Amino acid sequence: MSTYKISIQNTSNPTILKFDVNQFITKHQNYEYNNIDEAKDSPLAQQLFYLPFVKKVYISSNFIAIERYNIVEWDDVKDEVAKQIENYLNNDGVIVTETATTQKVPVTVYTESTPNPAALKFVANKKLVTATYDYDSIEKAKTSPLATALFHFPFVKSVFFDENYISITKYDIAEWNDITVELKDFIKKYIEEGKNIIDPNAPEVIEKSTEKVEQHFENLDTTSQEIINILEEYVKPAVASDGGNIQFESYDEPSKSVKVILQGACSGCPSSTFTLKNGIENMLKEMLPGRVNTVVAING
């Protein structure tokens, strides 16, 4: 089992703090507790209520949110709380019992088109993964039970996961009009049953952990860091809305060449690859004058 790591996230409510976990801790279910009596089915929530400033505990797929009383400020206690949760999880502490009552939130899945006519987004109202995953064969999908199941449909060519959606690219043997409802119903039922989407021990989870990403970033040259920041701020959100993802691969200073990897709906579509490549190239030339000449887009 991979090690649990906690990262702290602010919310719009200053009394509520989120403690994000680097993997899922419930089977896509939500639990809310207002006091220690209500938390009888959650040993984790009960332990948190022993902290005198804890007013409410909310446990979701991959985070714990805590509302505090005004007797303390989060800045004074948040690091200790994060450490307590992290230690509890890594010592195999029980999060919720099998008899725990969940907040029933109906699963919904809807589709969105992408610039790639062979790819379609299936968007859920629940968080599905904590990182991005791209599979182009059933052999490579062995770390994802859901991707493996989707590859049993003969028309599925590739599967891409991002936070709350699945981008599926099909072979030409089928038309979306004939297969969309079948895929949507299959994905909805799979999520409702609380099955694993990604294996918690998948190498991708370890390689893409926040700690590893930050360490890799710090080891890069200044121009590479600036390129990554530009891609994250200006390019990734637009690409994600189209069912894809972009990753920085490398920067070669002598040739002033940037390599990026396209995933999901952006991968394998000649027109969108060309448009995206030129758009990124023009943006980097303008924002980093004299440091970028060309962008090479590689299909992931």
Side-chain angles (χ1 to χ4, degrees):
M1 190 71 172
S2 55
T3 304
Y4 289 98
K5 294 286 187 181
I6 301 293
S7 59
I8 301 170
Q9 302 291 332
N10 293 320
T11 71
S12 56
N13 186 335
T15 66
I16 299 175
L17 208 61
K18 278 178 66 179
F19 297 86
D20 280 353
V21 189
N22 63 331
Q23 52 188 289
F24 287 102
I25 55 175
T26 74
K27 293 182 177 181
H28 306 287
Q29 304 298 326
N30 306 316
Y31 305 86
E32 185 175 329
Y33 305 104
N34 293 291
N35 54 60
I36 196 167
D37 285 340
E38 287 186 9
K40 62 182 182 298
D41 292 326
S42 173
L44 171 58
Q46 282 196 324
Q47 184 179 104
L48 292 171
F49 275 117
Y50 279 108
L51 301 171
F53 53 83
V54 171
K55 182 179 181 180
K56 183 181 289 189
V57 176
Y58 181 82
I59 300 174
S60 189
S61 297
N62 73 309
F63 70 84
I64 297 106
I66 299 175
E67 183 177 356
R68 63 169 171 81
Y69 288 108
N70 289 324
I71 59 173
V72 297
E73 296 296 327
W74 273 123
D75 284 344
D76 298 328
V77 297
K78 62 183 182 182
D79 291 333
E80 288 81 0
V81 174
K83 193 65 178 175
Q84 179 176 330
I85 295 171
E86 197 171 275
N87 288 340
Y88 183 90
L89 296 176
N90 284 315
N91 286 317
D92 298 323
V94 176
I95 299 156
V96 292
T97 65
E98 292 183 2
T99 58
T101 303
T102 181
Q103 281 192 320
K104 288 292 183 182
V105 179
V107 174
T108 60
V109 177
Y110 66 91
T111 58
E112 287 183 359
S113 60
T114 77
N116 183 352
L120 197 64
K121 281 175 67 175
F122 294 81
V123 186
N125 63 332
K126 291 179 177 286
K127 188 164 186 172
L128 304 177
V129 292
T130 58
T132 58
Y133 300 88
D134 200 12
Y135 304 103
D136 60 9
S137 71
I138 193 169
E139 185 180 27
K140 293 180 181 177
K142 59 187 176 184
T143 57
S144 169
L146 176 51
T148 298
L150 288 169
F151 275 115
H152 281 89
F153 291 97
F155 44 75
V156 171
K157 182 178 181 181
S158 65
V159 179
F160 173 79
F161 294 102
D162 207 341
E163 188 165 316
N164 72 321
Y165 72 83
I166 305 164
S167 180
I168 296 177
T169 304
K170 67 173 181 66
Y171 286 106
D172 292 337
I173 60 168
E175 297 297 329
W176 283 122
N177 287 341
D178 300 326
I179 61 176
T180 298
V181 173
E182 183 181 8
L183 284 171
K184 187 164 64 173
D185 289 347
F186 178 83
I187 292 168
K188 180 176 181 292
K189 183 179 179 183
Y190 192 99
I191 298 169
E192 285 175 336
E193 292 176 352
K195 297 178 181 178
N196 274 351
I197 292 172
I198 302 292
D199 186 340
N201 297 313
E204 290 86 351
V205 173
I206 300 168
E207 292 168 6
K208 295 180 183 179
S209 67
T210 302
E211 185 179 350
K212 292 263 184 182
V213 170
E214 289 177 353
Q215 183 181 2
H216 176 65
F217 182 84
E218 293 301 323
N219 291 333
L220 294 172
D221 61 273
T222 302
T223 300
S224 293
Q225 291 179 346
E226 290 182 59
I227 292 169
I228 290 173
N229 287 334
I230 291 170
L231 294 176
E232 290 286 336
E233 183 173 356
Y234 297 102
V235 182
K236 270 199 173 185
V239 171
S241 69
D242 287 335
N245 185 50
I246 184 168
Q247 287 187 328
F248 171 80
E249 173 69 10
S250 64
Y251 169 68
D252 182 63
E253 187 173 2
S255 65
K256 300 177 182 178
S257 175
V258 179
K259 282 186 180 179
V260 296
I261 299 174
L262 305 181
Q263 298 174 311
C266 299
S267 176
C269 177
S271 60
S272 61
T273 299
F274 180 77
T275 302
L276 190 57
K277 179 256 187 200
N278 284 350
I280 296 169
E281 191 173 281
N282 291 336
M283 180 183 293
L284 292 178
K285 282 181 178 179
E286 182 178 337
M287 300 182 78
L288 301 173
R291 285 187 278 173
V292 173
N293 283 338
T294 60
V295 169
V296 178
I298 306 166
N299 287 324

